Amino acid sequence: PIKVHPEIDANFAIVPNDSGCHPFTVGLINLSLRADTFYWDFGDSSSIFVTTDKDTVITHTYYNSSAISDTTYCITLIAVSDSGARDTMTQCIVVHPKPLANFSVDTNAGCSPLTVTITNLSIPFAGLNYVWIFSDSAFPDTTSVLSFTHSYVNTSSIPISYTITLLVTNNNGCTDTLIDTITVYPKITAQFGIVPDTGCSPLDVQFFNLTLPQDLSNYNWDFGDSFFSTDTNPTHQYLNPSLFDTTFYPCLIATTAFGCIDTVCDSVKIFSQPLATFTMADTIGCSPLCVTFTNSSLYATSYLWNFGDGSDSALTDSVFTYCFVNNENFAVSYAIELIAFQSSCTDTMIRTITLDGAGANFAFFTVTDSANCTPLTVTFQPTPGAALYEWDFDDVSTLTDMTGNPFTHTFYNPTYSIDSVYTVQLIATGKNGCVDTSYKEIRVYSKPDAQFTASDTAGCSPLCITVNNTSINDTNCYWNWGDGDVNFNCNPAHCYINTSNFTDTFLITLVVQSANGCTDTATEQVMAQPLIQATANVGPLVGCHPLTV
């Protein structure tokens, strides 16, 4: 017998198609007939697959390591029956190269406005279609140049991140994509105002910071005259020591927390400042006084003199003489003012000159008391302002003083009958050598001399005494007997009563007064023994003889 086994048919289908881009994954559908065992050779030398399951869809991924040319892989299916019959089928697939999207940027972060240079590094560079998608633009760019720029603007107050997307496609429709990020920091605009922007030296200038945005890390001011500041709204004083107007150029450098910097400059014009200065040959003197002035001012074109006595002058002479007159009886100070002009700028100097008056009375003085009883202490108050005071008190004593402060001096009258008169002389010398003299009379009244004698200074109560007033220069008398009684007669009598059991001591005081009211006092002590009263009890006073009493 002849046994003929069934003919087998090896067959398979490739899905989705037989060509694709790297990496290319295909599905293999086994369509073989009358076979039991299947051997797959994928053609990439990486694996051989054997299966007995006809209905299983086999997937396999193919790669193309080239970025330029296609790679072909041939797939072989060997179908084998149980009887050993076999059939083979081979189909090939093509794996197209995948392009490599790549680019570089010169910076990934910066301050607005930020221009970024983009360099296309895709492989292969030629033969590809490029689509550039910028997140800050509604339209893509299809430029294929090697290098180009793109500008970003951030008008907000916070950093903004933008994306750059590159999509490349080759002629086979294979694509690749690369995304990069650009961070754009807020734009900073440095600006400021100046008040005032012109003026005379020295000029205080206020700077008003108007920079946007305001939430910055720091400000650096360069005032253009070698001075600097980090204040937000600084004040600065400009000086111009030259003869010519000078323009300074202050600049503000504003820096944000992200390191964004902007600089703005402006100008300040400072006019030349004159320097007023002069000297005087004399500063004090007696009226009339002619003074020589020397004008040594700098950078001035005109002058105005005010002499402090109501007169002024526009003299431009460097040396001149002016005479001052003081008709008062006291010293007068004049403030001499020089105003120097240069354009609209001025400078002023003031000096003072003092003149003793033509009738100045430096020696005038006052006293607290010019007539009174001895000893008489008088307070002298001289007129202040003199340089030297020489006193003669007419009692063999003198005093030299340079202060003009008040002081006291005591005068005495050694007699009991007549007044003592002292003529005080003051010679005062002014600071400029002017001399003045004055006199004042001091009258010192004589003092009375109180004295008396008593008829008795000790005795039994009642003790009656008479006093003999022997005072000198007295016109009024006052007696105080020491027991509460007083008397105004000059020669009175008085009795002392002692009702106690002890000796009483009394002090007699005599106060006498002169016609000018001067007083003196004398005293004497008196002792009064207790009053003795003899008494007895006797009884009976009547009775019969013999009567015992």
Side-chain angles (χ1 to χ4, degrees):
I2 302 296
K3 182 182 287 188
V4 181
H5 297 294
E7 181 183 12
I8 64 173
D9 182 14
N11 190 17
F12 64 92
I14 301 174
V15 292
N17 49 56
D18 59 359
S19 64
C21 297
H22 164 87
F24 182 39
T25 300
V26 298
L28 303 176
I29 302 175
N30 193 344
L31 302 176
S32 301
L33 299 175
R34 298 177 294 281
D36 300 307
T37 304
F38 307 95
Y39 299 91
W40 295 89
D41 185 348
F42 299 113
D44 57 0
S45 301
S46 61
S47 61
I48 296 176
F49 186 80
V50 179
T51 182
T52 58
D53 187 354
K54 175 184 175 181
D55 297 329
T56 301
V57 177
I58 299 173
T59 60
H60 190 71
T61 301
Y62 290 91
Y63 301 92
N64 184 353
S65 59
S66 171
I68 301 175
S69 60
D70 294 341
T71 299
T72 301
Y73 296 95
C74 291
I75 306 169
T76 300
L77 171 61
I78 304 174
V80 181
S81 66
D82 291 341
S83 62
R86 66 174 58 199
D87 189 26
T88 300
M89 184 180 184
T90 299
Q91 296 188 64
C92 294
I93 65 170
V94 177
V95 181
H96 302 305
K98 180 181 180 181
L100 176 62
N102 190 20
F103 64 90
S104 66
V105 293
D106 61 343
T107 181
N108 284 95
C111 302
S112 178
L114 175 64
T115 299
V116 179
T117 299
I118 304 169
T119 302
N120 193 341
L121 303 175
S122 299
I123 301 174
F125 179 74
L128 297 179
N129 295 319
Y130 298 97
V131 177
W132 297 88
I133 300 175
F134 299 95
S135 62
D136 64 333
S137 175
F139 304 99
D141 193 344
T142 58
T143 182
S144 59
V145 298
L146 176 64
S147 181
F148 62 97
T149 60
H150 185 79
S151 295
Y152 294 91
V153 176
N154 181 359
T155 59
S156 71
S157 60
I158 60 175
I160 297 178
S161 294
Y162 298 95
T163 58
I164 303 175
T165 303
L166 171 61
L167 176 64
V168 297
T169 306
N170 60 19
N171 294 332
N172 296 310
C174 299
T175 63
D176 191 23
T177 302
L178 179 64
I179 300 175
D180 203 351
T181 301
I182 304 296
T183 300
V184 182
Y185 301 125
K187 179 182 179 181
I188 176 178
T189 302
Q191 51 188 337
F192 61 89
I194 303 174
V195 177
D197 59 0
T198 57
C200 299
S201 176
L203 180 65
D204 292 323
V205 176
Q206 176 67 58
F207 291 85
F208 297 95
N209 196 333
L210 305 175
T211 300
L212 295 175
Q214 286 291 324
D215 51 341
L216 305 177
S217 291
N218 58 72
Y219 299 99
N220 288 286
W221 296 86
D222 182 346
F223 297 115
D225 59 355
S226 300
F227 288 93
F228 306 90
S229 175
T230 57
D231 294 341
T232 301
N233 297 288
T235 298
H236 182 66
Q237 185 179 81
Y238 283 96
L239 301 175
N240 181 6
S242 71
L243 183 59
F244 307 99
D245 296 344
T246 301
T247 300
F248 298 93
Y249 297 93
C251 294
L252 168 61
I253 304 172
T255 306
T256 68
F258 307 105
C260 299
I261 299 176
D262 191 29
T263 300
V264 64
C265 298
D266 208 334
S267 63
V268 177
K269 188 173 184 179
I270 309 299
F271 301 132
S272 174
Q273 176 67 38
L275 176 62
T277 180
F278 68 93
T279 58
M280 300 182 299
D282 300 289
T283 56
I284 58 174
C286 300
S287 178
L289 177 65
C290 292
V291 180
T292 299
F293 290 87
T294 301
N295 185 350
S296 52
S297 300
L298 299 176
Y299 314 131
T301 56
S302 61
Y303 304 96
L304 176 62
W305 292 88
N306 185 342
F307 296 105
D309 59 357
S311 61
D312 53 41
S313 174
L315 281 170
T316 58
D317 297 346
S318 59
V319 179
F320 63 92
T321 301
Y322 184 82
C323 295
F324 295 86
V325 177
N326 177 12
N327 292 320
E328 303 295 336
N329 60 358
F330 50 84
V332 174
S333 294
Y334 300 95
I336 295 93
E337 178 185 57
L338 170 60
I339 304 175
F341 296 90
Q342 165 65 20
S343 298
S344 60
C345 302
T346 63
D347 189 33
T348 301
M349 171 175 271
I350 298 177
R351 293 185 181 274
T352 302
I353 188 170
T354 301
L355 270 74
D356 288 344
N361 187 9
F362 286 119
F364 177 79
F365 63 93
T366 60
V367 294
T368 54
D369 201 348
S370 60
N372 218 321
C373 302
T374 187
L376 174 57
T377 299
V378 178
T379 298
F380 290 85
Q381 174 65 68
T383 300
L388 179 65
Y389 299 89
E390 297 176 281
W391 298 87
D392 185 344
F393 300 104
D394 197 22
D395 60 356
V396 195
S397 60
T398 59
L399 174 67
T400 300
D401 177 47
M402 300 177 65
T403 65
N405 294 329
F407 64 93
T408 60
H409 184 75
T410 302
F411 297 88
Y412 298 92
N413 186 343
T415 73
Y416 293 103
S417 57
I418 59 174
D419 297 341
S420 294
V421 178
Y422 300 93
T423 301
V424 179
Q425 179 191 56
L426 169 61
I427 301 174
T429 303
K431 295 179 180 179
N432 52 21
C434 302
V435 178
D436 185 38
T437 304
S438 67
Y439 302 87
K440 196 174 291 292
E441 187 178 272
I442 303 297
R443 182 175 294 273
V444 183
Y445 302 136
S446 60
K447 181 180 180 181
D449 182 17
Q451 50 184 317
F452 67 93
T453 59
S455 58
D456 290 295
T457 57
C460 297
S461 175
L463 175 60
C464 292
I465 64 173
T466 59
V467 291
N468 181 23
N469 181 8
T470 59
S471 299
I472 301 173
N473 195 24
D474 61 321
T475 57
N476 296 303
C477 301
Y478 168 79
W479 296 89
N480 187 330
W481 303 107
D483 60 356
D485 284 346
V486 297
N487 194 284
F488 294 95
N489 294 325
C490 284
N491 292 285
H494 185 71
C495 292
Y496 290 95
I497 305 297
N498 183 359
T499 59
S500 70
N501 294 324
F502 307 97
T503 300
D504 277 347
T505 300
F506 302 94
L507 183 66
I508 303 174
T509 300
L510 169 61
V511 180
V512 295
Q513 186 181 51
S514 68
N516 291 317
C518 302
T519 61
D520 191 29
T521 302
T523 59
E524 182 70 62
Q525 184 173 284
V526 175
M527 292 187 297
Q529 304 296 332
L531 176 64
I532 298 176
Q533 182 177 1
T535 61
N537 292 325
V538 180
L541 298 178
V542 177
C544 296
H545 168 82
L547 177 62
T548 300
V549 177

